[in-house]
Amino acid sequence: MQFRDLKTQYHHLKKDIDAAIGSVLDNANFISGAPVTELEEQLAQYVGVKHCETCGNGTDALSLVLMAWGIGPGDAVFVPDFTFFASGEVVAHQGATPVFVDVDEDSFNMDSKRLEEAIQAVLAEGQLTPKVIIAVDLFGLPADYPKIQAIADKYGLKVLEDGAQGFGGAINGKRACSFGDAATTSFFPAKPLGCYGDGGAVFTDDSDLAALINSCKIHGKGSFKYDNVRIGVNSRLDTLQAAILQVKLRAFSDNELQAVNDAAAQYTRKLSGVVKTPVIPEGFLSSWAQYTITLSSASQRDRLQAALKEQGIPTMIYYPKPMHEQTAFKDTPFIKGSCPVTEQLCGRVLALPMHPYLTEGAIGAVASEIKKQI
Ligand SMILES: *Cc1c(COP(=O)(O)O)cnc(C)c1O
């Protein structure tokens, strides 16, 4: 059994993907070919925003937004304590200070009450200026943007949606990557919408921001390629990846998003009452980057993971360490004890095999092995 079966997906889409790759090779327009602009239009339309700027990866996408907003030393950026390293790394990379905020134990996403407390603590201390909230759509579930946006408005902060895992999710029909002032996603192969290498994108309704990001991602270009008006980076999605993503986006919206939701529903039916299953709030839709169960202790989690491995069932621990415990953040100010939920979750979560081509038989086998072990 595969944790995320990219081979089976390729097998299903092979004809179209091979044709798309073949056409890029024939045209030999490997950078900024027509499929890149076409994909950007398709992605913006799918998400429901005015602008999509593709780039080299999901980490660069976050950095480009912070760069365009001029975030730097002395600025506080609020980031969930329970997320992939990049969500906080980009803040420190700009010279700003990440302030880690605890998450909600049911949604795994930033807890809006803890967020407001963290903003007030930074203001009371008077050392840093609160600027941005990076909310993460962890495991495919959009963060609680209605609540987060209200807090951002109250304190005059910008909201950046890290939708690296969230593409395809929604809140009351409004799609992920359309929340906040800007949003980003990643096309890393194992993400909900993945390419065959690295890739990422920024989404926004703000035309000035989109233009600035377009400049920043191409060496700070001005009116033409050899007119450079600011210090930028080189971060582009190449034409091959764009052509592959055009095929994958069709499959994603035609059936894969529905398929992962069906798979998740089957897991939940079989596992509820046995272990804590993921909670999807009313009106929310997940794109199931992960299906994460919560065990009652670290020892139970570790025993279960070992037993499943013995049966050939792969599982993953996302994430084994809170952000504030990462060595790279050892000099980042952190109020001890302010993220107890994240500390608990890191010891107890376990992600099960999840992808659009998971069979009912496989889900049944995973569930019955878990029932046997608990
Ligand atoms: C994967 C991921 C990123 C980074 O994306 P890359 O394309 O790997 O650079 C950022 N944030 C979160 C939450 C992620 O899961």
Side-chain angles (χ1 to χ4, degrees):
M1 196 183 298
Q2 301 272 311
F3 185 72
R4 191 162 188 99
D5 193 345
L6 296 174
K7 284 187 192 166
T8 298
Q9 185 193 43
Y10 173 59
H11 186 77
H12 277 260
L13 308 176
K14 182 171 166 44
K15 205 172 124 268
D16 289 347
I17 285 183
D18 288 359
I21 290 174
S23 148
V24 175
L25 297 181
D26 279 337
N27 290 316
N29 206 346
F30 298 112
I31 300 291
S32 308
V36 179
T37 329
E38 289 164 15
L39 175 73
E40 286 174 339
E41 281 162 14
Q42 290 157 359
L43 288 169
Q45 196 188 8
Y46 181 84
V47 162
V49 296
K50 284 199 195 127
H51 305 280
C52 169
E53 288 287 340
T54 54
C55 62
N57 55 69
T59 307
D60 282 358
L62 290 166
S63 284
L64 283 163
V65 176
L66 297 181
M67 204 183 288
W69 283 342
I71 301 306
D75 294 337
V77 177
F78 301 87
V79 178
D81 198 35
F82 192 50
T83 181
F84 178 59
F85 184 65
S87 313
E89 179 184 30
V90 294
V91 176
H93 197 264
Q94 288 300 115
T97 303
V99 178
F100 300 121
V101 178
D102 209 4
V103 299
D104 175 84
E105 65 177 332
D106 288 335
S107 69
F108 303 122
N109 282 329
M110 187 183 262
D111 183 327
S112 54
K113 281 199 202 75
R114 300 288 95 82
L115 170 64
E116 186 159 16
E117 286 168 11
I119 295 168
Q120 287 173 348
V122 169
L123 288 171
E125 214 189 21
Q127 300 286 314
L128 300 167
T129 312
K131 285 277 177 74
V132 178
I133 299 160
I134 298 183
V136 177
D137 303 340
L138 205 72
F139 307 149
L141 179 69
D144 193 343
Y145 292 100
K147 281 192 187 144
I148 289 169
Q149 191 63 55
I151 293 170
D153 292 344
K154 182 170 169 187
Y155 294 92
L157 310 184
K158 287 199 185 299
V159 174
L160 171 51
E161 174 186 6
D162 179 350
Q165 301 180 16
F167 190 87
I171 305 177
N172 296 321
K174 183 172 159 56
R175 287 215 166 109
C177 297
S178 73
F179 297 102
D181 298 277
T184 63
T185 199
S186 163
F187 303 124
F188 181 84
K191 303 284 163 126
L193 177 64
C195 62
Y196 288 166
D198 276 313
V202 178
F203 299 89
T204 186
D205 280 324
D206 179 343
S207 304
D208 294 339
L209 178 66
L212 200 49
I213 283 168
N214 184 270
S215 167
C216 288
K217 76 179 190 185
I218 311 172
H219 303 290
K221 85 176 169 93
S223 56
F224 67 105
K225 195 175 169 186
Y226 299 106
D227 173 35
N228 305 91
V229 297
R230 58 179 61 82
I231 300 300
V233 293
N234 174 24
S235 185
R236 289 176 295 226
L237 184 75
D238 63 65
T239 313
L240 274 171
Q241 300 305 339
I244 291 161
L245 279 166
Q246 285 187 285
V247 177
K248 295 256 243 161
L249 177 61
R250 269 200 305 277
F252 184 85
S253 67
D254 285 353
N255 56 61
E256 290 183 353
L257 180 59
Q258 187 58 50
V260 285
N261 273 280
D262 292 346
Q266 287 174 46
Y267 266 137
T268 300
R269 233 181 358 258
K270 291 181 198 298
L271 290 174
S272 53
V274 181
V275 291
K276 185 169 187 237
T277 54
V279 181
I280 305 301
E282 185 70 35
F284 283 60
L285 176 74
S286 177
S287 59
W288 298 104
Q290 308 298 339
Y291 185 92
T292 301
I293 58 172
T294 310
L295 287 306
S296 53
S297 68
S299 58
Q300 188 191 46
R301 190 266 311 270
D302 295 346
R303 253 185 288 119
L304 176 63
Q305 184 177 39
L308 291 171
K309 187 176 175 194
E310 230 164 77
Q311 299 303 313
I313 298 169
T315 59
M316 302 289 273
I317 297 170
Y318 298 122
Y319 291 90
K321 255 191 206 195
M323 294 286 268
H324 74 265
E325 283 179 17
Q326 292 289 358
T327 309
F329 290 129
K330 67 182 188 307
D331 298 325
T332 300
F334 178 76
I335 303 169
K336 220 172 145 42
S338 63
C339 294
V341 175
T342 299
E343 285 169 15
Q344 285 231 335
L345 287 174
C346 288
R348 296 183 186 180
V349 289
L350 191 65
L352 306 180
M354 175 50 96
H355 57 84
Y357 303 91
L358 199 60
T359 62
E360 237 182 286
I363 294 167
V366 175
S368 54
E369 196 54 39
I370 292 171
K371 280 184 199 156
K372 225 196 293 172
Q373 298 298 330
I374 296 298

